[in-house]
Amino acid sequence: MNRRGPARPAAVALLIATLALVAFAAGAPPASAHAVLLGSSPTDGEVLTERPGEVVLRFNEPVDLPPGAIVVLDPAEARWDEGAPGRVDDDRRTARVALGDLPAGTYLVSWQVISADGHPLRGSFTFRYDPPAPEPEPEPEPEPAPPAGDPGAPATGLDDPAIELDDDALAALEARARAGADTSVGVLAGLSRFAVYAGTLLLVGSVAFLVALWPAGRAARRSWHLVWGAWAATVAGSIGIVAMNGPAMVAGGLSDVLDVELLRATLETRSGSFWGARLLLLVLAAPLLHTLQARDPQDDLPLWWWGVATAVGAGLLAVPALSGHAVSGRWVRLAVPADIVHLGAAAVWLGGLTLLGAVALRVERGDEARALLVRFSTLATWCIAAVVATGAFQSWRQVGSLDGLTSTAYGRLLLAKLAVFAGVLAVAAYNNRRVRRLAPAAPRREPLPVSAAPAGSAAASTPGEEAVRRAAWLEVGLAVGVLAVTAALVNAVPARAEAALPVERTLRAEEVVVDLVVIPARTGVNELHFYALEPRGGPLDVEALTATIDLPAEGLGPLDVPISPIPLGPGHYMARAAEIPEAGTWRLEVTVELRTGEVVRLRTDLPVRR
């Protein structure tokens, strides 16, 4: 019987699938790591004397717009946005929504979008519409002014108490706008991600093990309990991710899972389309698994099975890469293939290890068991090397600095993952040494014969084989911990992306509050925005606003910040090209000259990155 027949078609199918994935990844458009709001119209805190007809947001990368991407509320929680959100000139880096016939007052803009790597992002800001009071028409005999609040009273801007800013109500609205989805949504989404990662690795790895290393295992019922369980977990997790993403997009609760429009909007996003494709791949995988299970282990698999199975397996590994952090940041065309290799190597290693410990070492005995251990150990060593190499590349790409490991949530999660992974490697090294001592002369190249043990039967193990099996389970247990941290890591903002976010500070005094935004807060040219506000909120028109920076640790400064003397709006001053020469914690001093002639100085620390 020809037992080496499948090798050639398998190699051809793998080569074709690899080339297709590389070509697909090469065409993937690069995107910045998480979207950043670059600007808006109206701007935060702006006072408008003309009624705005729309709200426009501009981002640094293309974003998807879920239902209710931009909501405009007054302090009474009445909505003033009209129609569905859209784009400006079909530019996917923009979002806009039309406004109704706004009365004078203060409004909250709450926005939420989906970045290229599938993460929901949200924020909020306020603006004020303060139309000038109309000049009264000359009359022979002026009539007494109607009582305040009378419908017939002429518009007098924000001096009317009926439309004064309700600070407490607006603060509560803004807090809700910035809040995330219901806690239960986040928990279920995290569990779904874990199920998808664990299920995919076990499904792909166990099938590869049964096809390439241990064909005899296809006759064991326990093998198929594991395979079909992995398939079911991946299906359930995939459905959970799609179902939970809608409520996460709109900061909703579990009741929003049943919203058909929200589900449709999820599947229309870039990430949602890949999640839907994964479900289709899992449907295709079912008859492939049935064919593999029903076929006699001694018979060669048909060529079509190798081609379709390789494509489906590669597709399942590609979905997390194409809908996650690999498509954001630098070097996307290298990152996507590296992520696919990372997941594929982890699947062959950990999925095979699980099947080895749960089934193979319970069924096989003697020379066959030892030969299987040696063959798998050799393959696992190469897989571990691939996991380490690609993981190091992705970590460096997403973190970028040692400081990012400790100063960001992403970095701290990555350190936790590395710590658990180090334990996995230690157990793997121990297992590898025991296997080498167990079978120093075991055959490595010859194909394994079909086991004579009855399907699903447990064979007696030697003490050495039993020790290897126990260590394999410890290795699997630690790997589950790695997957749990990974499920949280994929939902965190990469450290390099977090470092690219603008730095915001609020400086407070009894007479004035100054909001500061520094973009990008890195060495070189920066853009600084200063918003002078009244202590209870709202823009404050000041006589002048200047600022200096100095770096005491290096003895630099004070340096004048080149702020334009002409404000962009009431209380809004900008330095368009402020040069910051060194990284470090700078000290910034803002001097505000009020209309009363009083001068107020405020200070804050300003972290500047390289």
Side-chain angles (χ1 to χ4, degrees), residues 382-426:
W382 286 103
C383 289
I384 291 171
V387 168
V388 171
T390 53
F393 167 69
Q394 295 286 34
S395 299
W396 171 71
R397 194 180 70 91
Q398 296 288 16
V399 176
S401 67
L402 292 177
D403 180 64
L405 287 173
T406 56
S407 62
T408 65
Y410 185 94
R412 289 188 289 272
L413 281 171
L414 182 60
L415 287 176
K417 178 179 177 178
L418 292 175
V420 182
F421 185 70
V424 177
L425 291 182

Tab-separated table of all heavy atoms in Angstrom, residues 382-426:
chain	number	residue	atom	x	y	z
A	382	TRP	N	10.369	23.261	15.637
A	382	TRP	CA	10.343	24.229	14.547
A	382	TRP	C	9.159	25.184	14.696
A	382	TRP	O	9.270	26.391	14.416
A	382	TRP	CB	10.276	23.513	13.202
A	382	TRP	CG	11.571	22.889	12.805
A	382	TRP	CD1	11.919	21.571	12.873
A	382	TRP	CD2	12.729	23.575	12.301
A	382	TRP	NE1	13.204	21.376	12.440
A	382	TRP	CE2	13.732	22.594	12.074
A	382	TRP	CE3	13.017	24.902	12.017
A	382	TRP	CZ2	14.992	22.911	11.586
A	382	TRP	CZ3	14.277	25.232	11.530
A	382	TRP	CH2	15.241	24.242	11.314
A	383	CYS	N	8.022	24.662	15.130
A	383	CYS	CA	6.851	25.515	15.327
A	383	CYS	C	7.095	26.548	16.424
A	383	CYS	O	6.723	27.723	16.285
A	383	CYS	CB	5.629	24.669	15.674
A	383	CYS	SG	4.985	23.704	14.300
A	384	ILE	N	7.718	26.124	17.520
A	384	ILE	CA	8.021	27.053	18.608
A	384	ILE	C	8.957	28.155	18.118
A	384	ILE	O	8.786	29.335	18.452
A	384	ILE	CB	8.630	26.303	19.802
A	384	ILE	CG1	7.570	25.407	20.450
A	384	ILE	CG2	9.199	27.269	20.833
A	384	ILE	CD1	8.116	24.471	21.509
A	385	ALA	N	9.953	27.778	17.313
A	385	ALA	CA	10.866	28.788	16.758
A	385	ALA	C	10.102	29.809	15.917
A	385	ALA	O	10.356	31.020	15.995
A	385	ALA	CB	11.948	28.102	15.925
A	386	ALA	N	9.140	29.319	15.106
A	386	ALA	CA	8.343	30.236	14.278
A	386	ALA	C	7.466	31.123	15.145
A	386	ALA	O	7.312	32.331	14.870
A	386	ALA	CB	7.477	29.433	13.301
A	387	VAL	N	6.868	30.569	16.202
A	387	VAL	CA	6.025	31.358	17.102
A	387	VAL	C	6.844	32.452	17.777
A	387	VAL	O	6.415	33.610	17.865
A	387	VAL	CB	5.376	30.438	18.158
A	387	VAL	CG1	4.741	31.270	19.279
A	387	VAL	CG2	4.321	29.557	17.506
A	388	VAL	N	8.028	32.110	18.258
A	388	VAL	CA	8.878	33.091	18.940
A	388	VAL	C	9.323	34.197	17.975
A	388	VAL	O	9.260	35.391	18.298
A	388	VAL	CB	10.101	32.396	19.572
A	388	VAL	CG1	11.098	33.425	20.093
A	388	VAL	CG2	9.655	31.476	20.700
A	389	ALA	N	9.763	33.817	16.779
A	389	ALA	CA	10.264	34.807	15.826
A	389	ALA	C	9.162	35.768	15.381
A	389	ALA	O	9.342	36.997	15.395
A	389	ALA	CB	10.870	34.092	14.614
A	390	THR	N	8.021	35.229	14.971
A	390	THR	CA	6.934	36.100	14.506
A	390	THR	C	6.330	36.893	15.656
A	390	THR	O	5.937	38.052	15.482
A	390	THR	CB	5.838	35.270	13.825
A	390	THR	OG1	5.420	34.211	14.707
A	390	THR	CG2	6.352	34.664	12.532
A	391	GLY	N	6.260	36.294	16.848
A	391	GLY	CA	5.744	37.027	18.004
A	391	GLY	C	6.647	38.181	18.396
A	391	GLY	O	6.166	39.261	18.765
A	392	ALA	N	7.964	37.972	18.322
A	392	ALA	CA	8.903	39.059	18.632
A	392	ALA	C	8.756	40.208	17.638
A	392	ALA	O	8.773	41.386	18.019
A	392	ALA	CB	10.331	38.523	18.621
A	393	PHE	N	8.586	39.868	16.361
A	393	PHE	CA	8.398	40.902	15.338
A	393	PHE	C	7.127	41.709	15.598
A	393	PHE	O	7.143	42.948	15.570
A	393	PHE	CB	8.343	40.250	13.954
A	393	PHE	CG	7.846	41.157	12.868
A	393	PHE	CD1	8.601	42.234	12.432
A	393	PHE	CD2	6.602	40.940	12.291
A	393	PHE	CE1	8.126	43.074	11.438
A	393	PHE	CE2	6.120	41.765	11.294
A	393	PHE	CZ	6.891	42.840	10.863
A	394	GLN	N	6.027	41.018	15.877
A	394	GLN	CA	4.767	41.724	16.101
A	394	GLN	C	4.819	42.563	17.380
A	394	GLN	O	4.282	43.675	17.427
A	394	GLN	CB	3.607	40.726	16.182
A	394	GLN	CG	3.336	39.974	14.891
A	394	GLN	CD	2.657	40.837	13.831
A	394	GLN	OE1	2.906	42.045	13.737
A	394	GLN	NE2	1.818	40.223	13.031
A	395	SER	N	5.472	42.042	18.413
A	395	SER	CA	5.576	42.798	19.662
A	395	SER	C	6.375	44.074	19.467
A	395	SER	O	5.978	45.155	19.929
A	395	SER	CB	6.231	41.937	20.752
A	395	SER	OG	5.450	40.785	21.007
A	396	TRP	N	7.494	43.961	18.794
A	396	TRP	CA	8.310	45.157	18.541
A	396	TRP	C	7.556	46.155	17.664
A	396	TRP	O	7.605	47.361	17.895
A	396	TRP	CB	9.617	44.734	17.862
A	396	TRP	CG	10.428	45.891	17.379
A	396	TRP	CD1	11.125	46.799	18.121
A	396	TRP	CD2	10.605	46.291	16.019
A	396	TRP	NE1	11.736	47.731	17.314
A	396	TRP	CE2	11.433	47.435	16.016
A	396	TRP	CE3	10.155	45.777	14.804
A	396	TRP	CZ2	11.799	48.080	14.849
A	396	TRP	CZ3	10.528	46.418	13.646
A	396	TRP	CH2	11.334	47.546	13.678
A	397	ARG	N	6.810	45.647	16.685
A	397	ARG	CA	6.059	46.526	15.786
A	397	ARG	C	4.960	47.280	16.521
A	397	ARG	O	4.700	48.458	16.226
A	397	ARG	CB	5.455	45.685	14.656
A	397	ARG	CG	4.935	46.462	13.473
A	397	ARG	CD	4.376	45.507	12.438
A	397	ARG	NE	3.143	44.888	12.894
A	397	ARG	CZ	1.925	45.382	12.665
A	397	ARG	NH1	1.797	46.498	11.989
A	397	ARG	NH2	0.855	44.765	13.106
A	398	GLN	N	4.304	46.637	17.490
A	398	GLN	CA	3.180	47.257	18.161
A	398	GLN	C	3.572	48.022	19.427
A	398	GLN	O	2.802	48.858	19.891
A	398	GLN	CB	2.135	46.196	18.536
A	398	GLN	CG	1.490	45.506	17.342
A	398	GLN	CD	0.528	46.409	16.598
A	398	GLN	OE1	0.527	47.626	16.762
A	398	GLN	NE2	-0.305	45.820	15.762
A	399	VAL	N	4.748	47.720	20.003
A	399	VAL	CA	5.155	48.410	21.230
A	399	VAL	C	6.166	49.506	20.917
A	399	VAL	O	5.972	50.670	21.257
A	399	VAL	CB	5.732	47.413	22.258
A	399	VAL	CG1	6.241	48.157	23.484
A	399	VAL	CG2	4.662	46.406	22.655
A	400	GLY	N	7.273	49.143	20.272
A	400	GLY	CA	8.201	50.150	19.787
A	400	GLY	C	9.218	50.647	20.787
A	400	GLY	O	10.221	51.235	20.392
A	401	SER	N	9.018	50.466	22.097
A	401	SER	CA	9.977	50.959	23.081
A	401	SER	C	9.813	50.184	24.379
A	401	SER	O	8.740	49.626	24.665
A	401	SER	CB	9.776	52.459	23.346
A	401	SER	OG	8.543	52.686	23.995
A	402	LEU	N	10.868	50.161	25.193
A	402	LEU	CA	10.795	49.502	26.483
A	402	LEU	C	9.804	50.209	27.394
A	402	LEU	O	9.110	49.579	28.192
A	402	LEU	CB	12.181	49.464	27.133
A	402	LEU	CG	13.222	48.560	26.444
A	402	LEU	CD1	14.568	48.676	27.139
A	402	LEU	CD2	12.746	47.108	26.442
A	403	ASP	N	9.736	51.535	27.284
A	403	ASP	CA	8.801	52.294	28.108
A	403	ASP	C	7.359	51.893	27.822
A	403	ASP	O	6.516	51.866	28.714
A	403	ASP	CB	8.990	53.795	27.863
A	403	ASP	CG	8.044	54.635	28.704
A	403	ASP	OD1	8.167	54.593	29.942
A	403	ASP	OD2	7.171	55.312	28.124
A	404	GLY	N	7.077	51.555	26.546
A	404	GLY	CA	5.723	51.164	26.180
A	404	GLY	C	5.277	49.874	26.843
A	404	GLY	O	4.074	49.621	26.971
A	405	LEU	N	6.229	49.046	27.291
A	405	LEU	CA	5.876	47.791	27.959
A	405	LEU	C	5.304	48.024	29.348
A	405	LEU	O	4.501	47.228	29.836
A	405	LEU	CB	7.102	46.883	28.066
A	405	LEU	CG	7.578	46.212	26.777
A	405	LEU	CD1	8.892	45.498	27.024
A	405	LEU	CD2	6.531	45.231	26.254
A	406	THR	N	5.717	49.097	30.004
A	406	THR	CA	5.289	49.331	31.385
A	406	THR	C	4.302	50.481	31.529
A	406	THR	O	3.571	50.547	32.516
A	406	THR	CB	6.513	49.622	32.272
A	406	THR	OG1	7.247	50.733	31.719
A	406	THR	CG2	7.431	48.410	32.335
A	407	SER	N	4.251	51.370	30.546
A	407	SER	CA	3.419	52.572	30.684
A	407	SER	C	2.072	52.457	29.991
A	407	SER	O	1.270	53.388	30.055
A	407	SER	CB	4.172	53.792	30.128
A	407	SER	OG	4.430	53.626	28.738
A	408	THR	N	1.805	51.329	29.313
A	408	THR	CA	0.534	51.169	28.605
A	408	THR	C	-0.119	49.854	29.007
A	408	THR	O	0.558	48.894	29.408
A	408	THR	CB	0.726	51.179	27.076
A	408	THR	OG1	1.500	50.031	26.684
A	408	THR	CG2	1.434	52.439	26.612
A	409	ALA	N	-1.446	49.802	28.884
A	409	ALA	CA	-2.177	48.573	29.200
A	409	ALA	C	-1.765	47.452	28.251
A	409	ALA	O	-1.631	46.288	28.671
A	409	ALA	CB	-3.682	48.825	29.117
A	410	TYR	N	-1.548	47.783	26.981
A	410	TYR	CA	-1.125	46.785	26.005
A	410	TYR	C	0.228	46.184	26.403
A	410	TYR	O	0.421	44.968	26.357
A	410	TYR	CB	-1.034	47.431	24.621
A	410	TYR	CG	-0.712	46.465	23.508
A	410	TYR	CD1	-1.718	45.877	22.758
A	410	TYR	CD2	0.607	46.153	23.176
A	410	TYR	CE1	-1.435	44.990	21.727
A	410	TYR	CE2	0.908	45.266	22.157
A	410	TYR	CZ	-0.116	44.700	21.434
A	410	TYR	OH	0.183	43.827	20.415
A	411	GLY	N	1.152	47.055	26.787
A	411	GLY	CA	2.472	46.574	27.178
A	411	GLY	C	2.431	45.671	28.392
A	411	GLY	O	3.118	44.645	28.450
A	412	ARG	N	1.603	46.027	29.377
A	412	ARG	CA	1.514	45.201	30.584
A	412	ARG	C	0.866	43.850	30.279
A	412	ARG	O	1.277	42.816	30.824
A	412	ARG	CB	0.738	45.959	31.664
A	412	ARG	CG	1.521	47.152	32.239
A	412	ARG	CD	0.814	47.759	33.424
A	412	ARG	NE	-0.406	48.469	33.041
A	412	ARG	CZ	-0.452	49.749	32.676
A	412	ARG	NH1	0.668	50.461	32.636
A	412	ARG	NH2	-1.596	50.324	32.361
A	413	LEU	N	-0.150	43.840	29.410
A	413	LEU	CA	-0.737	42.566	29.007
A	413	LEU	C	0.276	41.711	28.245
A	413	LEU	O	0.340	40.494	28.420
A	413	LEU	CB	-1.971	42.815	28.135
A	413	LEU	CG	-3.262	43.195	28.859
A	413	LEU	CD1	-4.322	43.621	27.856
A	413	LEU	CD2	-3.769	42.034	29.703
A	414	LEU	N	1.075	42.364	27.412
A	414	LEU	CA	2.093	41.637	26.656
A	414	LEU	C	3.127	41.023	27.598
A	414	LEU	O	3.558	39.878	27.399
A	414	LEU	CB	2.767	42.570	25.653
A	414	LEU	CG	3.835	41.939	24.758
A	414	LEU	CD1	3.244	40.805	23.924
A	414	LEU	CD2	4.458	42.995	23.839
A	415	LEU	N	3.521	41.769	28.643
A	415	LEU	CA	4.463	41.217	29.622
A	415	LEU	C	3.862	40.003	30.330
A	415	LEU	O	4.554	39.008	30.576
A	415	LEU	CB	4.839	42.294	30.642
A	415	LEU	CG	5.781	43.400	30.151
A	415	LEU	CD1	5.978	44.446	31.235
A	415	LEU	CD2	7.124	42.823	29.721
A	416	ALA	N	2.560	40.081	30.649
A	416	ALA	CA	1.903	38.937	31.285
A	416	ALA	C	1.889	37.734	30.342
A	416	ALA	O	2.142	36.593	30.765
A	416	ALA	CB	0.476	39.312	31.684
A	417	LYS	N	1.621	37.981	29.072
A	417	LYS	CA	1.623	36.893	28.093
A	417	LYS	C	3.015	36.278	27.969
A	417	LYS	O	3.160	35.040	27.923
A	417	LYS	CB	1.161	37.420	26.737
A	417	LYS	CG	1.166	36.373	25.633
A	417	LYS	CD	0.673	36.951	24.311
A	417	LYS	CE	0.748	35.909	23.192
A	417	LYS	NZ	0.240	36.436	21.902
A	418	LEU	N	4.046	37.126	27.936
A	418	LEU	CA	5.411	36.617	27.815
A	418	LEU	C	5.813	35.792	29.039
A	418	LEU	O	6.528	34.793	28.925
A	418	LEU	CB	6.379	37.783	27.612
A	418	LEU	CG	6.265	38.527	26.281
A	418	LEU	CD1	7.198	39.736	26.264
A	418	LEU	CD2	6.565	37.598	25.117
A	419	ALA	N	5.339	36.217	30.225
A	419	ALA	CA	5.680	35.476	31.440
A	419	ALA	C	5.075	34.072	31.402
A	419	ALA	O	5.749	33.083	31.719
A	419	ALA	CB	5.181	36.242	32.666
A	420	VAL	N	3.791	33.979	31.011
A	420	VAL	CA	3.159	32.657	30.943
A	420	VAL	C	3.785	31.833	29.815
A	420	VAL	O	4.013	30.630	29.953
A	420	VAL	CB	1.645	32.793	30.729
A	420	VAL	CG1	0.978	31.417	30.698
A	420	VAL	CG2	1.027	33.632	31.846
A	421	PHE	N	4.092	32.495	28.710
A	421	PHE	CA	4.698	31.795	27.574
A	421	PHE	C	6.071	31.246	27.936
A	421	PHE	O	6.472	30.173	27.459
A	421	PHE	CB	4.797	32.737	26.373
A	421	PHE	CG	5.296	32.067	25.123
A	421	PHE	CD1	4.507	31.147	24.449
A	421	PHE	CD2	6.558	32.346	24.611
A	421	PHE	CE1	4.953	30.525	23.298
A	421	PHE	CE2	7.016	31.737	23.460
A	421	PHE	CZ	6.207	30.818	22.803
A	422	ALA	N	6.808	31.973	28.780
A	422	ALA	CA	8.109	31.471	29.229
A	422	ALA	C	7.930	30.154	29.985
A	422	ALA	O	8.747	29.226	29.859
A	422	ALA	CB	8.793	32.507	30.118
A	423	GLY	N	6.845	30.057	30.771
A	423	GLY	CA	6.557	28.803	31.443
A	423	GLY	C	6.253	27.685	30.462
A	423	GLY	O	6.685	26.540	30.651
A	424	VAL	N	5.506	28.016	29.397
A	424	VAL	CA	5.214	27.026	28.360
A	424	VAL	C	6.513	26.525	27.734
A	424	VAL	O	6.697	25.318	27.533
A	424	VAL	CB	4.289	27.627	27.280
A	424	VAL	CG1	4.052	26.611	26.164
A	424	VAL	CG2	2.964	28.047	27.879
A	425	LEU	N	7.414	27.442	27.420
A	425	LEU	CA	8.686	27.060	26.796
A	425	LEU	C	9.518	26.183	27.731
A	425	LEU	O	10.178	25.226	27.288
A	425	LEU	CB	9.481	28.312	26.410
A	425	LEU	CG	8.928	29.153	25.265
A	425	LEU	CD1	9.862	30.322	24.974
A	425	LEU	CD2	8.736	28.309	24.009
A	426	ALA	N	9.490	26.508	29.033
A	426	ALA	CA	10.263	25.706	29.982
A	426	ALA	C	9.736	24.268	30.023
A	426	ALA	O	10.514	23.306	30.013
A	426	ALA	CB	10.200	26.339	31.372
